[in-house]
């Protein structure tokens, strides 16, 4: 995958990233394999004359796809050996760069992760949650506005019903969606732009985790990524300017969806 390095640098600019999210600020990023780290855009490695990237020896903090503080600066990292195609590598890097953007924008909607370890996987909660997720999926894919509103109402109603018994843990879900959903949102935008797949097939690829009943309960934290993504895409469709003020509010994606639904009902 090292032959993609110059292409990555060309595609990852502030101007290009703003196609995915307004005022998307580019932090440092690194691609790595078992032996080497290719580091871009890091303020401590501004060479004269400038180089496209710095080549460093691999060290143990470069593990997985994530955001790290490298030499005191937020740095998105991606393992090149996990991907066989450009769109996969590029889109996951955009995802992690968005977490860097959240960091410098002062994102505060991070949940108490301890709640994830005590999440109540009761039969009732799981059953309602799976119905809720199916209605969210249908709300996005439905083209008839009247049917779309019905699915959206069902989604909101089911979530509010669950809140009656697990309010604290539902807050955990809402916050995970609001932090990770937008990262998946920019990822799918980047993937769609670079992939030869049609947009509807890309949507189904990313949406399968939302409606897979096993996947949705095997990892509650991860399952919130897809529900957060679909709420972002619904907001895009029904209120296109929602991203402009997202970092200036403490509202969750579910809060925004609920407010939007009330506005739709009053039209």
């Amino acid at each position: 995958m090292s032959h993609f390095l110059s292409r990555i640098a060309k595609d990852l600019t502030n101007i290009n990233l703003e196609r995915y999210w307004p005022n998307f600020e580019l932090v440092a990023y690194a691609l790595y394999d078992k032996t080497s780290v290719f580091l871009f855009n890091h303020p401590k490695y501004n060479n004269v004359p400038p180089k496209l990237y710095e080549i460093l020896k691999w060290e143990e903090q470069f593990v997985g796809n994530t955001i790290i503080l490298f030499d005191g600066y937020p740095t998105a990292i991606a393992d090149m050996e996990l991907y066989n195609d450009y769109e996969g590598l590029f889109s996951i890097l955009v995802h992690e760069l968005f977490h860097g953007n959240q960091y410098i924008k002062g994102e505060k909607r991070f949940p108490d992760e301890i709640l994830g370890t005590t999440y109540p996987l009761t039969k009732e909660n799981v059953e309602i949650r799976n119905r809720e997720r199916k209605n969210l999926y249908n709300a996005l894919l439905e083209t008839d506005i009247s049917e779309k509103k019905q699915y959206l109402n069902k989604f909101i109603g089911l979530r509010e019903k669950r809140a009656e018994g697990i309010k604290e843990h539902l807050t955990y879900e809402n916050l995970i969606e609001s932090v990770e959903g937008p990262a998946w949102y920019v990822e799918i935008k980047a993937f769609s732009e670079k992939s030869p797949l049609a947009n509807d097939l890309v949507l189904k690829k990313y949406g399968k985790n939302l409606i897979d009943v096993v996947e949705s309960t095997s990892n509650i934290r991860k399952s919130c990524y897809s529900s957060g993504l679909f709420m972002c895409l619904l907001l895009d469709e029904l209120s296109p300017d929602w991203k402009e003020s997202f970092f200036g509010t403490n509202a969750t994606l579910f809060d925004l969806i609920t407010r939007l639904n009330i506005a739709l009902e009053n039209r």
Side-chain angles (χ1 to χ4, degrees):
M1 297 296 283
S2 59
H3 58 286
F4 287 144
L5 293 175
S6 59
R7 184 179 174 187
I8 286 275
K10 182 179 179 181
D11 285 345
L12 288 178
T13 65
N14 285 319
I15 292 173
N16 287 343
L17 291 174
E18 286 191 6
R19 296 202 303 269
Y20 312 136
W21 193 278
N23 301 311
F24 193 149
E25 294 185 52
L26 183 68
V27 297
Y29 58 98
L31 301 170
Y32 69 91
D33 56 25
K34 289 185 176 70
T35 59
S36 302
V37 174
F38 304 91
L39 179 67
F40 299 74
N41 199 45
H42 198 291
K44 291 192 176 179
Y45 294 85
N46 289 328
N47 297 290
V48 179
K51 293 192 293 186
L52 188 61
Y53 51 83
E54 189 76 20
I55 303 176
L56 309 174
K57 186 178 179 180
W58 180 87
E59 52 186 273
E60 61 185 10
Q61 63 182 306
F62 289 91
V63 177
N65 304 318
T66 188
I67 188 86
I68 63 172
L69 285 179
F70 182 67
D71 277 356
Y73 191 74
T75 304
I77 66 171
D79 184 347
M80 291 189 292
E81 296 183 338
L82 296 178
Y83 300 92
N84 296 316
D85 54 69
Y86 182 75
E87 58 265 31
L89 179 63
F90 178 75
S91 59
I92 194 61
L93 197 51
V94 169
H95 176 126
E96 300 305 340
L97 281 166
F98 187 79
H99 285 315
N101 184 53
Q102 288 172 317
Y103 178 90
I104 61 180
K105 292 290 198 306
E107 175 63 81
K108 296 291 193 296
R109 280 164 288 207
F110 296 101
D112 178 359
E113 294 290 356
I114 293 176
L115 290 171
T117 66
T118 60
Y119 188 88
L121 287 171
T122 63
K123 182 179 179 180
E124 180 184 18
N125 182 42
V126 168
E127 189 274 330
I128 296 175
R129 189 171 188 265
N130 285 330
R131 285 167 50 205
E132 170 193 303
R133 292 166 70 84
K134 180 65 174 177
N135 277 286
L136 176 59
Y137 181 88
N138 288 338
L140 181 63
L141 269 61
E142 180 58 60
T143 56
D144 180 86
I145 189 63
S146 178
E147 293 289 327
K148 185 182 287 286
K149 287 180 181 179
Q150 289 186 40
Y151 283 126
L152 194 52
N153 274 323
K154 289 177 184 176
F155 162 67
I156 292 170
L158 289 167
R159 177 158 295 197
E160 289 177 342
K161 181 177 181 180
R162 286 200 300 127
E164 296 169 7
I166 61 161
K167 185 174 182 180
E168 191 177 42
H169 290 89
L170 199 58
T171 297
Y172 170 81
E173 289 185 55
N174 290 338
L175 292 173
I176 291 289
E177 288 169 342
S178 301
V179 172
E180 292 290 348
W184 260 43
Y185 169 87
V186 297
E187 179 184 330
I188 196 175
K189 292 288 184 182
F191 187 89
S192 296
E193 182 181 77
K194 304 301 181 185
S195 172
L197 290 176
N199 287 340
D200 61 329
L201 295 179
V202 172
L203 187 59
K204 288 180 179 178
K205 166 185 166 67
Y206 276 81
K208 63 183 180 181
N209 288 343
L210 184 62
I211 56 175
D212 185 320
V213 296
V214 175
E215 183 73 19
S216 69
T217 53
S218 60
N219 185 330
I220 292 297
R221 191 185 200 283
K222 187 177 178 182
S223 73
C224 293
Y225 300 3
S226 54
S227 51
L229 165 63
F230 269 58
M231 279 191 270
C232 287
L233 294 172
L234 261 176
L235 286 166
D236 249 14
E237 183 179 329
L238 300 171
S239 182
D241 295 332
W242 71 275
K243 298 184 292 297
E244 298 288 344
S245 60
F246 189 64
F247 284 123
T249 177
N250 291 323
T252 65
L253 290 173
F254 183 67
D255 291 334
L256 298 184
I257 285 286
T258 302
R259 293 172 193 170
L260 175 61
N261 190 56
I262 293 170
L264 290 174
E265 291 297 316
N266 291 334
R267 285 180 186 174

